[in-house]
Amino acid sequence: MTQYIPMLKHTQLFRGVGEPEIRSMLSCLNAKCQTYAKGQYVLRQGARVQDIMILAQGKLHVQRDDYWGNSNIISAIDAGEMFGEAYVSPDSGTIGNNLIAVEASTVLLFDARRILTTCPTACPFHTTVIQNLFYAISDKNRKLMRKLGHMSQRSTREKLMSYLSEESSRQGSAVFTIPFNRQQLADFLSVDRSAMSNELRKMREDGLIAFEKSRFTLLY
């Protein structure tokens, strides 16, 4: 666990907290470490969550599967990102999606009740963690609204342009790599893969984009 302290210092949850303070908090927060193989479920739909989790290494997909086996990728979780906080409230019920490791992954778990309950000395760095948790939840709400913005576009082309424009802006370059393969991108945007692939080819023919696998270039 201690080998991940340098990484934790740069996460949203522990932003502004020094490594010595994080080290002393690991026991206080009942921190645990779990590993998952590629394709393994980290959390299944219907599970109850009591921990706030941080992905130490690897990559996860938040995925919803229907009765007929159709999948829809809600979001991707990269190393250093936090998840599970939306379901730790006593009234939040069970988790509504599956979380799947798309590569070998390590997850750090922190007892949510211990995070939200300050120690008797009310140490300043614990208060900072609580504030960071609030800010992280707010940031995730904004990301969800952006995804809804992509999906609200009427056509497949408009959804692609909305998503690619945002990724270009987020990465600060007209040349960027997206975190999805073709099927995953289609699931994320809730469009048919074949129709999306055809639209990408048309956009390339129209001089709007260039791409190779997951690397895209926006053209003027």
Side-chain angles (χ1 to χ4, degrees):
M1 176 67 75
T2 56
Q3 69 267 32
Y4 296 113
I5 290 177
M7 180 276 299
L8 287 172
K9 187 177 69 171
H10 298 286
T11 63
Q12 284 182 302
L13 188 61
F14 292 98
R15 183 173 296 162
V17 182
E19 292 188 19
E21 289 78 14
I22 295 175
R23 184 182 300 272
S24 68
M25 293 183 74
L26 293 179
S27 177
C28 173
L29 300 181
N30 194 27
K32 300 185 289 283
C33 179
Q34 295 184 356
T35 58
Y36 300 88
K38 179 180 179 180
Q40 189 174 359
Y41 283 83
V42 177
L43 290 170
R44 287 183 180 270
Q45 185 176 347
R48 291 192 176 274
V49 177
Q50 296 181 333
D51 298 302
I52 290 173
M53 291 159 270
I54 293 176
L55 182 61
Q57 59 185 24
K59 188 180 186 65
L60 310 179
H61 278 171
V62 182
Q63 180 174 303
R64 181 180 293 274
D65 301 319
D66 65 20
Y67 180 83
W68 296 274
N70 300 308
S71 298
N72 179 30
I73 296 176
I74 307 299
S75 62
I77 299 174
D78 296 313
E81 292 189 28
M82 180 178 69
F83 60 99
E85 72 285 348
Y87 292 95
V88 296
S89 166
D91 299 323
S92 62
T94 59
I95 189 168
N97 305 301
N98 294 314
L99 275 77
I100 300 173
V102 294
E103 57 187 63
S105 301
T106 301
V107 175
L108 308 182
L109 300 88
F110 303 90
D111 191 316
R113 291 168 296 182
R114 294 195 180 190
I115 290 178
L116 296 174
T117 304
T118 57
C119 53
T121 57
C123 46
F125 52 83
H126 198 146
T127 302
T128 299
V129 169
I130 295 174
Q131 291 175 340
N132 288 344
L133 177 60
F134 173 81
Y135 296 146
I137 292 173
S138 176
D139 183 57
K140 284 199 172 182
N141 285 336
R142 289 194 298 272
K143 289 180 179 178
L144 178 59
M145 292 304 297
R146 290 199 293 270
K147 178 179 179 178
L148 291 175
H150 304 324
M151 295 176 63
S152 68
Q153 302 298 317
R154 294 186 177 182
S155 68
T156 298
R157 175 174 289 208
E158 289 171 333
K159 290 180 180 181
L160 285 165
M161 291 179 68
S162 176
Y163 172 72
L164 295 174
S165 294
E166 182 188 297
E167 279 298 303
S168 173
S169 177
R170 185 178 68 85
Q171 298 186 38
S173 173
V175 181
F176 54 91
T177 300
I178 66 172
F180 302 126
N181 61 32
R182 290 292 182 270
Q183 184 60 61
Q184 292 164 351
L185 179 59
D187 292 341
F188 180 75
L189 295 175
S190 295
V191 296
D192 178 77
R193 176 182 175 175
S194 296
M196 184 195 73
S197 296
N198 288 335
E199 195 58 55
L200 284 171
R201 286 193 290 269
K202 291 177 182 178
M203 291 171 68
R204 180 168 57 188
E205 292 169 359
D206 291 343
L208 296 173
I209 61 173
F211 58 85
E212 182 178 358
K213 295 184 178 180
S214 295
R215 187 172 179 82
F216 284 80
T217 303
L218 302 190
L219 305 174
Y220 297 95

